[in-house]
Short mmCIF file of all heavy atoms in Angstrom, two decimals:
data_model
loop_
_atom_site.label_atom_id
_atom_site.label_comp_id
_atom_site.label_asym_id
_atom_site.label_seq_id
_atom_site.Cartn_x
_atom_site.Cartn_y
_atom_site.Cartn_z
N GLU W 388 -35.98 63.26 -19.01
CA GLU W 388 -35.63 64.68 -18.90
C GLU W 388 -34.14 64.82 -18.60
O GLU W 388 -33.48 65.72 -19.09
CB GLU W 388 -36.46 65.33 -17.80
CG GLU W 388 -36.24 66.82 -17.67
CD GLU W 388 -37.18 67.48 -16.67
OE1 GLU W 388 -38.22 66.87 -16.34
OE2 GLU W 388 -36.89 68.61 -16.22
N TYR W 389 -33.64 63.92 -17.75
CA TYR W 389 -32.22 63.88 -17.42
C TYR W 389 -31.70 62.47 -17.63
O TYR W 389 -32.37 61.49 -17.27
CB TYR W 389 -31.98 64.30 -15.96
CG TYR W 389 -32.45 65.69 -15.62
CD1 TYR W 389 -33.65 65.88 -14.95
CD2 TYR W 389 -31.70 66.80 -15.97
CE1 TYR W 389 -34.10 67.16 -14.64
CE2 TYR W 389 -32.13 68.08 -15.67
CZ TYR W 389 -33.33 68.25 -14.99
OH TYR W 389 -33.77 69.52 -14.69
N ASP W 415 -25.18 69.96 -20.06
CA ASP W 415 -26.17 70.92 -19.59
C ASP W 415 -25.67 71.56 -18.30
O ASP W 415 -25.34 70.86 -17.33
CB ASP W 415 -27.51 70.21 -19.35
CG ASP W 415 -28.59 71.16 -18.86
OD1 ASP W 415 -29.15 71.89 -19.69
OD2 ASP W 415 -28.85 71.18 -17.63
N ASP W 416 -25.63 72.88 -18.26
CA ASP W 416 -25.07 73.58 -17.11
C ASP W 416 -25.94 73.44 -15.87
O ASP W 416 -25.43 73.38 -14.74
CB ASP W 416 -24.87 75.06 -17.44
CG ASP W 416 -23.71 75.29 -18.39
OD1 ASP W 416 -22.83 74.40 -18.47
OD2 ASP W 416 -23.67 76.34 -19.05
N ASP W 417 -27.27 73.43 -16.04
CA ASP W 417 -28.15 73.26 -14.88
C ASP W 417 -27.94 71.89 -14.23
O ASP W 417 -27.90 71.78 -13.00
CB ASP W 417 -29.62 73.43 -15.28
CG ASP W 417 -29.97 74.89 -15.57
OD1 ASP W 417 -29.27 75.78 -15.05
OD2 ASP W 417 -30.95 75.12 -16.30
N LEU W 418 -27.80 70.88 -15.05
CA LEU W 418 -27.55 69.53 -14.53
C LEU W 418 -26.21 69.49 -13.81
O LEU W 418 -26.08 68.87 -12.75
CB LEU W 418 -27.60 68.51 -15.67
CG LEU W 418 -27.36 67.05 -15.29
CD1 LEU W 418 -28.32 66.57 -14.21
CD2 LEU W 418 -27.46 66.16 -16.52
N ARG W 419 -25.22 70.16 -14.38
CA ARG W 419 -23.91 70.22 -13.73
C ARG W 419 -24.03 70.86 -12.35
O ARG W 419 -23.50 70.32 -11.36
CB ARG W 419 -22.92 71.03 -14.58
CG ARG W 419 -21.59 71.31 -13.87
CD ARG W 419 -20.65 72.14 -14.73
NE ARG W 419 -21.25 73.38 -15.18
CZ ARG W 419 -21.35 74.48 -14.43
NH1 ARG W 419 -20.91 74.48 -13.18
NH2 ARG W 419 -21.89 75.57 -14.93
N ARG W 420 -24.74 71.98 -12.26
CA ARG W 420 -24.87 72.67 -10.98
C ARG W 420 -25.61 71.80 -9.95
O ARG W 420 -25.23 71.76 -8.78
CB ARG W 420 -25.61 74.00 -11.17
CG ARG W 420 -24.72 75.11 -11.75
CD ARG W 420 -25.42 76.44 -11.72
NE ARG W 420 -26.44 76.53 -12.75
CZ ARG W 420 -26.25 77.00 -13.96
NH1 ARG W 420 -25.05 77.44 -14.31
NH2 ARG W 420 -27.23 77.07 -14.84
N MET W 421 -26.65 71.11 -10.39
CA MET W 421 -27.40 70.25 -9.47
C MET W 421 -26.54 69.11 -8.95
O MET W 421 -26.55 68.80 -7.75
CB MET W 421 -28.66 69.70 -10.17
CG MET W 421 -29.76 70.73 -10.34
SD MET W 421 -31.32 70.00 -10.91
CE MET W 421 -30.95 69.67 -12.63
N LEU W 422 -25.79 68.49 -9.84
CA LEU W 422 -24.94 67.36 -9.42
C LEU W 422 -23.79 67.83 -8.54
O LEU W 422 -23.44 67.17 -7.56
CB LEU W 422 -24.41 66.62 -10.64
CG LEU W 422 -25.42 65.73 -11.37
CD1 LEU W 422 -24.88 65.29 -12.72
CD2 LEU W 422 -25.78 64.52 -10.51
N MET W 423 -23.21 68.98 -8.86
CA MET W 423 -22.13 69.52 -8.04
C MET W 423 -22.63 69.84 -6.63
O MET W 423 -21.94 69.58 -5.64
CB MET W 423 -21.55 70.77 -8.69
CG MET W 423 -20.80 70.53 -10.00
SD MET W 423 -19.15 69.86 -9.78
CE MET W 423 -18.28 71.29 -9.18
N LYS W 424 -23.83 70.40 -6.54
CA LYS W 424 -24.43 70.71 -5.24
C LYS W 424 -24.65 69.44 -4.43
O LYS W 424 -24.33 69.38 -3.23
CB LYS W 424 -25.76 71.45 -5.44
CG LYS W 424 -26.51 71.78 -4.15
CD LYS W 424 -27.76 72.59 -4.46
CE LYS W 424 -28.57 72.88 -3.19
NZ LYS W 424 -29.22 71.67 -2.65
N SER W 425 -25.18 68.40 -5.09
CA SER W 425 -25.39 67.12 -4.40
C SER W 425 -24.06 66.54 -3.95
O SER W 425 -23.98 65.93 -2.88
CB SER W 425 -26.11 66.15 -5.33
OG SER W 425 -27.38 66.66 -5.71
N GLY W 426 -23.03 66.71 -4.75
CA GLY W 426 -21.71 66.22 -4.40
C GLY W 426 -21.14 66.91 -3.17
O GLY W 426 -20.52 66.27 -2.32
N GLU W 427 -21.34 68.21 -3.06
CA GLU W 427 -20.85 68.95 -1.90
C GLU W 427 -21.63 68.56 -0.65
O GLU W 427 -21.06 68.46 0.45
CB GLU W 427 -20.96 70.46 -2.14
CG GLU W 427 -19.99 71.00 -3.17
CD GLU W 427 -18.54 70.81 -2.76
OE1 GLU W 427 -18.22 70.99 -1.57
OE2 GLU W 427 -17.72 70.47 -3.63
N GLU W 428 -22.93 68.33 -0.78
CA GLU W 428 -23.75 67.97 0.37
C GLU W 428 -23.39 66.59 0.92
O GLU W 428 -23.40 66.37 2.13
CB GLU W 428 -25.24 68.01 0.00
CG GLU W 428 -25.77 69.42 -0.24
CD GLU W 428 -27.19 69.42 -0.78
OE1 GLU W 428 -27.71 68.34 -1.12
OE2 GLU W 428 -27.79 70.50 -0.85
N LEU W 433 -17.55 66.01 -7.10
CA LEU W 433 -17.37 65.93 -8.54
C LEU W 433 -16.55 67.11 -9.02
O LEU W 433 -16.58 68.19 -8.41
CB LEU W 433 -18.74 65.96 -9.25
CG LEU W 433 -19.74 64.86 -8.87
CD1 LEU W 433 -21.15 65.26 -9.32
CD2 LEU W 433 -19.35 63.55 -9.50
N LYS W 482 -30.28 66.38 -21.82
CA LYS W 482 -29.55 66.83 -20.63
C LYS W 482 -28.86 65.59 -20.06
O LYS W 482 -29.49 64.77 -19.40
CB LYS W 482 -30.49 67.46 -19.63
CG LYS W 482 -31.14 68.75 -20.13
CD LYS W 482 -32.12 69.32 -19.12
CE LYS W 482 -32.74 70.60 -19.64
NZ LYS W 482 -33.72 71.17 -18.68
N LEU W 512 -24.75 60.28 -3.48
CA LEU W 512 -24.75 61.37 -4.46
C LEU W 512 -26.03 61.37 -5.29
O LEU W 512 -26.73 62.39 -5.40
CB LEU W 512 -23.54 61.23 -5.38
CG LEU W 512 -23.52 62.12 -6.62
CD1 LEU W 512 -23.26 63.57 -6.23
CD2 LEU W 512 -22.46 61.64 -7.62
N ARG W 515 -29.30 61.98 -3.26
CA ARG W 515 -29.45 63.40 -2.93
C ARG W 515 -29.88 64.20 -4.14
O ARG W 515 -30.74 65.10 -4.05
CB ARG W 515 -28.14 63.94 -2.36
CG ARG W 515 -28.11 65.44 -2.10
CD ARG W 515 -29.27 65.90 -1.24
NE ARG W 515 -29.23 65.32 0.09
CZ ARG W 515 -30.22 65.47 0.97
NH1 ARG W 515 -31.32 66.12 0.64
NH2 ARG W 515 -30.13 64.93 2.16
N PHE W 516 -29.31 63.91 -5.30
CA PHE W 516 -29.74 64.57 -6.54
C PHE W 516 -31.22 64.34 -6.79
O PHE W 516 -31.97 65.28 -7.10
CB PHE W 516 -28.91 64.06 -7.72
CG PHE W 516 -29.45 64.46 -9.06
CD1 PHE W 516 -29.24 65.72 -9.57
CD2 PHE W 516 -30.22 63.55 -9.80
CE1 PHE W 516 -29.77 66.10 -10.81
CE2 PHE W 516 -30.75 63.91 -11.03
CZ PHE W 516 -30.52 65.19 -11.54
N ASP W 519 -33.31 66.28 -4.21
CA ASP W 519 -33.33 67.72 -4.50
C ASP W 519 -34.19 68.01 -5.72
O ASP W 519 -34.92 69.01 -5.76
CB ASP W 519 -31.91 68.24 -4.71
CG ASP W 519 -31.11 68.28 -3.42
OD1 ASP W 519 -31.72 68.17 -2.34
OD2 ASP W 519 -29.87 68.43 -3.49
N LEU W 520 -34.10 67.16 -6.73
CA LEU W 520 -34.91 67.34 -7.94
C LEU W 520 -36.40 67.24 -7.61
O LEU W 520 -37.21 68.02 -8.12
CB LEU W 520 -34.53 66.30 -8.98
CG LEU W 520 -35.28 66.35 -10.31
CD1 LEU W 520 -34.99 67.66 -11.04
CD2 LEU W 520 -34.93 65.15 -11.19
N GLN W 523 -37.65 70.42 -6.12
CA GLN W 523 -37.82 71.46 -7.15
C GLN W 523 -39.16 71.29 -7.86
O GLN W 523 -39.85 72.26 -8.16
CB GLN W 523 -36.69 71.37 -8.17
CG GLN W 523 -35.36 71.89 -7.69
CD GLN W 523 -34.32 71.86 -8.80
OE1 GLN W 523 -34.66 71.82 -9.98
NE2 GLN W 523 -33.05 71.88 -8.43
#
Side-chain angles (χ1 to χ4, degrees):
E388 184 174 342
Y389 300 101
D415 180 79
D416 287 339
D417 287 336
L418 180 56
R419 171 182 55 80
R420 282 189 285 269
M421 286 189 285
L422 285 168
M423 292 282 287
K424 177 176 177 290
S425 299
E427 290 298 320
E428 290 173 351
L433 302 163
K482 295 178 180 179
L512 169 72
R515 174 53 64 188
F516 168 79
D519 289 346
L520 181 63
Q523 285 184 20

